[in-house]
Amino acid sequence: MRLLVFSQYFWPENFRINDLVSHLVADGLEVTVLTGKPNYPDGKVFSGYRAWGIRHERHAGAEVIRLPLVPRGSRSGLRLAINYLSFVLAGYLLAPFALRGKPFDAVFVYAPSPLLQALPAILLAWLKRAPLIVWVQDLWPESLSATGHVKNRFLLRMVATVVRYIYRHTDSILIQSEAFRVPVGRLVRDTEKVRFFPNAVETAAPSSAVPSDEIISLSKDIEQGFSVVFAGNLGTAQSVETIVAAAERLRAHADVRFFLVGSGSRVDWLRAEIDRRGLSNVILPGRFPSTAMSGLYAAASALLVTLRDEAIFAYTIPSKLQGYLAAGRPVIAALNGEGARVVTEARAGVSCAAGDADALAAAVLHLRSLSPPERAVLGDNGRRYAAEHYSLERLASELVGHLEGLTAARRENRT
């Protein structure tokens, strides 16, 4: 099977689509990834790349074609909007040229924000006479409003119209959370084409990569005392102010420390607040490659996932949660809705209301009060749950079967 994966984000940016592509190639698919120039999350094009021009390379057995785009920058809603639109425009104007002469059996869109990136994929699927599959990671237009990027009701209605157009021109809509089924169903005519397909995680074996001296040193630091590790984007949606407020409440507990591993639009604010409040219990080590995370997770006393107290985020399962569960460490979920439900169902840790610093501080102290064997049980529960529900090997094979079914149906309709 010849599969076109269309995604604004791809390796060396750290997204779940990277591992999925590797497994699809291992399952025998001929995969081409059409993506942009890497610039997430810091907003600057990665070293070794330039924003303009079409670039061809290979990664994990897949052909990678990179389209030009305007980097997202930092702390600018306008710049972010231009970044989104530049990739859509490049998809319309340059993708047909970049893919000329290449036949495909299916077009697969990995769709975190912005969902609008699926627009040129509709054209490409039509040109290639292939079924279109969209894997929805965020609900639009709700996510735009919840993160504060767009508040204008007219613009939000316009976006909803575009999203409805995308859904109705898609052969299969995959949703990363069962809670997405109702809001997505409101915008589609045929709800039968909506299918649950969660984010997956490698559960077979830990990474064999040799850690750097910096990672070894950081891991040893994390192993001291009761360390709570947050990994990933430090942005508006992650409610980092709740973490800071909880850390301030816990400053009397000298052994409790928060390690916020990552980068994002709120890092400068975090540094300023840590300094202003004199918080020695909040550490910002920076961003590290995904291959380093298993060692950092293993060193942690607990792993933290947070989201803002917005209704839309109650539908979402943060993509880092699957990795946390697979790591076998207790999880603290400062979430509402579906994400908290997963942690509770897995019996993998504790959950508290999103945006509640007092509740987060209490959750940390509760886990700290448990014995090491009791915390180990929570971690083991999470690992088993991840293996049962989020195995990358099983889900990749399931996706291949789904794609084969769609392409067979398309061929039958032609005859």
Side-chain angles (χ1 to χ4, degrees), residues 369-381:
S369 71
L370 299 180
S371 68
E374 288 173 321
R375 290 198 293 267
V377 168
L378 297 176
D380 290 341
N381 289 343

Side-chain angles (χ1 to χ4, degrees), residues 289-311:
S290 57
T291 53
M293 299 317 297
S294 60
L296 300 183
Y297 289 171
S301 305
L303 301 173
L304 173 64
V305 54
T306 59
L307 284 175
R308 287 179 60 183
D309 183 15
E310 295 278 356

Side-chain angles (χ1 to χ4, degrees), residues 98-231:
L99 297 171
R100 66 194 184 282
K102 292 180 178 291
F104 294 101
D105 299 303
V107 177
F108 180 87
V109 179
Y110 174 67
S113 294
L115 182 62
L116 303 186
Q117 68 181 287
L119 283 169
I122 296 173
L123 170 64
L124 294 173
W126 178 75
L127 290 173
K128 303 299 180 180
R129 302 180 68 191
L132 176 63
I133 303 93
V134 176
W135 190 17
V136 179
Q137 297 291 310
D138 295 316
L139 291 175
W140 271 49
E142 296 92 339
S143 291
L144 280 176
S145 175
T147 55
H149 291 308
V150 176
K151 291 295 186 183
N152 184 286
R153 291 184 178 180
F154 175 72
L155 288 178
L156 291 172
R157 284 196 297 270
M158 286 183 59
V159 172
T161 299
V162 175
V163 171
R164 184 179 292 109
Y165 172 83
I166 292 170
Y167 286 162
R168 292 183 178 180
H169 287 80
T170 298
D171 295 278
S172 178
I173 301 170
L174 307 181
I175 51 175
Q176 62 100 323
S177 166
E178 272 289 2
F180 281 17
R181 193 175 294 276
V182 171
V184 169
R186 295 192 192 108
L187 298 176
V188 299
R189 291 193 182 97
D190 180 12
T191 56
E192 292 296 317
K193 67 182 181 181
V194 180
R195 180 188 182 105
F196 176 56
F197 186 75
N199 284 301
V201 65
E202 181 69 68
T203 57
S207 171
S208 59
V210 178
S212 66
D213 291 341
E214 187 179 11
I215 293 297
I216 293 173
S217 176
L218 178 58
S219 297
K220 289 180 178 178
D221 192 16
I222 292 173
E223 287 174 349
Q224 306 304 310
F226 190 87
S227 296
V228 179
V229 171
F230 173 103

Side-chain angles (χ1 to χ4, degrees), residues 71-84 148-149 236 265:
R72 61 194 287 127
S74 61
R75 299 183 298 278
S76 171
L78 176 61
R79 183 69 177 269
L80 185 61
I82 293 172
N83 167 255
Y84 291 166
H149 291 308
T236 303
S265 62

